[in-house]
């Protein structure tokens, strides 16, 4: 069922202590239907030591040069994939 991501993460506090990266597809409307919000989900993960980063493919030098970049999320008002990472600098170094 969709929209239960926040509830599922709340039930995974022990698991979250052991992982360094978690990827969540965030759909704001569905989270609201289950009594949560995208902001709550991001705050919850930040409290547990994660930083939110949004992956995006950027094309340079034509269509054959994709580059994966990560930006901090703004207001999440559409379905968005979010990578939650414990050590952003180390994580991002793998994409340079």
């Amino acid at each position: 069922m969709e929209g239960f991501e926040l509830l599922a993460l709340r039930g995974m506090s022990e698991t979250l202590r052991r992982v360094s990266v978690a990827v969540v597809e965030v759909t704001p409307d569905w989270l609201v239907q289950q009594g949560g919000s995208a902001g709550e989900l991001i705050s919850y993960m930040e409290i547990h030591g994660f930083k939110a980063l949004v992956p995006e493919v950027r094309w340079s030098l034509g269509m054959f040069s994709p580059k994966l970049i990560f930006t901090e999320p703004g207001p999440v008002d559409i379905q968005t994939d979010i990578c939650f990472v414990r050590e952003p600098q180390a994580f991002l170094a793998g994409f340079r």
Side-chain angles (χ1 to χ4, degrees):
M1 293 213 225
E2 300 291 348
F4 288 92
E5 292 81 4
L6 179 57
L7 295 172
L9 289 167
R10 284 182 176 154
M12 297 174 54
S13 59
E14 278 299 314
T15 300
L16 290 176
R17 285 190 253 274
R18 296 187 309 242
V19 300
S20 57
V21 177
V23 180
V24 179
E25 180 185 69
V26 178
T27 305
D29 293 343
W30 294 345
L31 285 169
V32 168
Q33 290 174 8
Q34 303 309 323
S37 71
E40 277 183 84
L41 190 148
I42 292 169
S43 293
Y44 179 81
M45 293 300 283
E46 287 175 347
I47 288 167
H48 283 81
F50 291 89
K51 176 154 181 73
L53 297 171
V54 176
E56 179 184 336
V57 175
R58 292 230 177 124
W59 299 90
S60 60
L61 303 173
M63 62 185 265
F64 299 108
S65 299
K67 182 175 182 180
L68 185 60
I69 64 158
F70 294 86
T71 58
E72 292 188 26
V76 180
D77 54 3
I78 61 170
Q79 189 174 58
T80 304
D81 293 325
I82 299 180
C83 296
F84 292 99
V85 298
R86 284 202 186 277
E87 298 177 20
Q89 296 303 331
F91 176 79
L92 294 172
F95 293 94
R96 292 189 178 116

